């Protein structure tokens, strides 16, 4: 497969290098398989001969028109963490050429892929409308509000929907590149992951910080603070709403709109976060920790930890 990797001003250095390194690694390790897949031919393309990355490095590129003959276009992330600045950039004139390139690629039927903040460029170009996608967990509320036509799937690290592949936060570029290799050879992808010591990360949920997401809306932020004060007992959503001065329906709808989940599930996320912290930093028994986060039985917490983090209580304690 011919792969075009777009390099543009302000591109996230680690994202770009992760994509290039993983695919190059796959090419180098092909010979270790009895029936190796064809090599990936990778070309870095850009709108000028020399592009300056987010960290100030200069990358030499081939003309962006070379992407027209590629079988896959990869758009690494933009090196921008501030939501407002990110939205201004992806929707502004500085990224117009990127948006056109992505849109034209999909019009030709060329698959496109991106990760982290790069998924905003894909969404802004319109190629994600009506499709599932994922992005950085901490930008999910902003993404959901900006692009209501996109179904944000936060249950997976990498999501493919009708020719468009997206991945999660920053180092999700590694997962994205491995997914590209896996399309050609699952065995080779597993081999590359072992050489690079990359563990399987099916979801970002284990890394999510609920309080960071809650700050996207004053009602949700107030609900989060209220829940933390009552975390060691039963949490009644109706009571929480009354304490915040809003209706239960308003609270339900606001949490769903901002976080894409229900208040009950958000409370569970906060319980898991607190329990994980206590497991890592104290010698308290699981029974004691369960009571501190509002569960009468340790087994309830044990099941929830495995479901939300993908790890056992013993593993979390070992970390």
């Amino acid at each position: 497969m011919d792969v075009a990797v777009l390099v543009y001003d302000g591109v996230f250095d680690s994202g770009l290098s992760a994509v290039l390194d993983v695919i190059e690694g796959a090419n180098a390790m092909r010979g270790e398989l009895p029936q190796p897949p064809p090599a990936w031919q990778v070309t870095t393309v850009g709108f000028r001969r020399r592009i300056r990355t987010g960290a100030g490095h200069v990358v030499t590129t081939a003309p962006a028109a070379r992407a027209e003959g590629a079988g896959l276009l990869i758009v690494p992330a933009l090196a921008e963490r501030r939501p407002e600045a990110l939205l201004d950039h992806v929707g502004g004139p500085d990224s117009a050429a990127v948006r056109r390139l992505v849109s034209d690629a999909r019009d030709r039927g060329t698959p496109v892929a991106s990760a982290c903040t790069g998924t905003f460029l894909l969404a802004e170009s319109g190629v994600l409308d009506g499709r599932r996608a994922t992005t950085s967990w901490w930008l999910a509320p902003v993404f959901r509000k900006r692009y209501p036509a996109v179904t944000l799937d936060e249950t997976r690290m990498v999501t493919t929907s009708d020719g468009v592949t997206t991945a999660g936060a920053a180092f999700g570029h590694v997962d994205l590149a491995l997914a590209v290799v896996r399309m050609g050879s699952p065995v080779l992808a597993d081999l590359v992951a072992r050489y690079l010591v990359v563990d399987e990360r099916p979801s970002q949920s284990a890394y999510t910080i609920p309080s960071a997401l809650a700050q996207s809306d004053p009602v949700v932020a107030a609900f989060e603070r209220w829940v933390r004060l009552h975390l060691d007992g039963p949490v009644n959503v109706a009571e929480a709403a009354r304490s915040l001065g809003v209706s239960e329906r308003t609270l339900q709808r606001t949490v769903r709109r901002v976080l894409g989940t229900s208040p009950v599930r958000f409370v569970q996320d906060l319980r898991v976060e607190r329990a994980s912290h206590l497991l890592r930093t104290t010698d308290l028994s699981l029974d004691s920790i369960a009571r501190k986060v509002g569960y009468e039985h340790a087994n309830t917490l044990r099941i929830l930890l495995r479901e939300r983090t993908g790890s056992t209580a013993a593993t979390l304690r070992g970390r």
Side-chain angles (χ1 to χ4, degrees):
M1 178 187 290
D2 288 334
V3 179
V5 179
L6 179 64
V7 186
Y8 55 93
D9 285 330
V11 71
F12 178 51
D13 293 63
S14 294
L16 172 62
S17 61
V19 168
L20 298 176
D21 285 343
V22 169
I23 298 179
E24 177 57 31
N27 280 337
M29 296 175 200
R30 290 171 52 252
E32 298 188 29
L33 301 182
Q35 294 181 316
W40 287 265
Q41 305 296 327
V42 179
T43 304
T44 53
V45 301
F47 301 106
R48 296 194 314 278
R49 180 63 174 165
R50 292 162 64 83
I51 305 295
R52 190 169 296 278
T53 68
H57 298 106
V58 175
V59 179
T60 302
T61 67
R66 290 277 294 274
E68 295 179 9
L72 172 66
L73 171 65
I74 299 179
V75 183
L78 174 71
E80 178 57 74
R81 288 183 51 85
R82 299 166 298 170
E84 290 186 5
L86 172 63
L87 294 180
D88 286 344
H89 183 90
V90 300
D94 289 344
S95 68
V98 177
R99 299 195 302 270
R100 283 195 301 271
L101 187 71
V102 171
S103 179
D104 290 347
R106 287 307 296 145
D107 287 344
R108 294 191 301 272
T110 302
V112 298
S114 190
C116 191
T117 55
T119 59
F120 281 72
L121 286 165
L122 268 56
E124 199 71 29
S125 72
V127 304
L128 289 178
D129 287 355
R131 295 181 171 89
R132 289 181 298 106
T134 191
T135 190
S136 301
W137 65 263
W138 51 276
L139 288 170
V142 179
F143 188 98
R144 191 177 287 109
K145 182 179 181 180
R146 176 85 164 193
Y147 310 112
V150 184
T151 300
L152 192 60
D153 184 355
E154 297 168 86
T155 66
R156 302 178 65 85
M157 182 67 78
V158 179
T159 298
T160 298
S161 180
D162 192 22
V164 183
T165 301
T166 53
F171 290 101
H173 286 84
V174 174
D175 304 85
L176 180 70
L178 284 172
V180 170
V181 174
R182 190 167 283 110
M183 293 174 190
S185 172
V187 176
L188 181 56
D190 291 341
L191 181 65
V192 173
R194 292 180 67 180
Y195 269 99
L196 296 181
V197 196
V198 178
D199 293 331
E200 183 179 4
R201 298 175 293 182
S203 171
Q204 298 182 87
S205 60
Y207 307 93
T208 301
I209 303 173
S211 58
L213 298 177
Q215 302 313 306
S216 301
D217 182 272
V219 172
V220 180
F223 178 56
E224 184 239 349
R225 291 192 296 271
W226 187 92
V227 171
R228 288 190 184 278
L229 292 174
H230 300 82
L231 206 57
D232 59 349
V235 172
N236 185 289
V237 176
E239 180 184 349
R242 285 194 298 273
S243 297
L244 301 179
V246 299
S247 68
E248 182 178 359
R249 183 180 180 187
T250 295
L251 180 58
Q252 294 272 5
R253 292 175 61 181
T254 303
V255 172
R256 175 69 65 179
R257 173 176 54 80
V258 174
L259 303 180
T261 191
S262 67
V264 171
R265 189 174 177 88
F266 182 57
V267 170
Q268 291 175 337
D269 290 340
L270 293 173
R271 295 192 198 279
V272 166
E273 180 193 54
R274 178 63 176 162
S276 299
H277 174 73
L278 291 173
L279 282 167
R280 292 193 301 265
T281 60
T282 74
D283 293 326
L284 292 172
S285 68
L286 190 62
D287 286 303
S288 296
I289 292 174
R291 288 191 292 272
K292 284 182 176 294
V293 298
Y295 293 117
E296 183 177 352
H297 303 293
N299 196 49
T300 303
L301 176 59
R302 186 179 288 110
I303 293 171
L304 191 62
L305 285 169
R306 182 183 288 276
E307 175 190 318
R308 297 296 171 84
T309 70
S311 300
T312 64
T315 301
L316 292 168
R317 170 147 277 166
R319 291 176 183 169

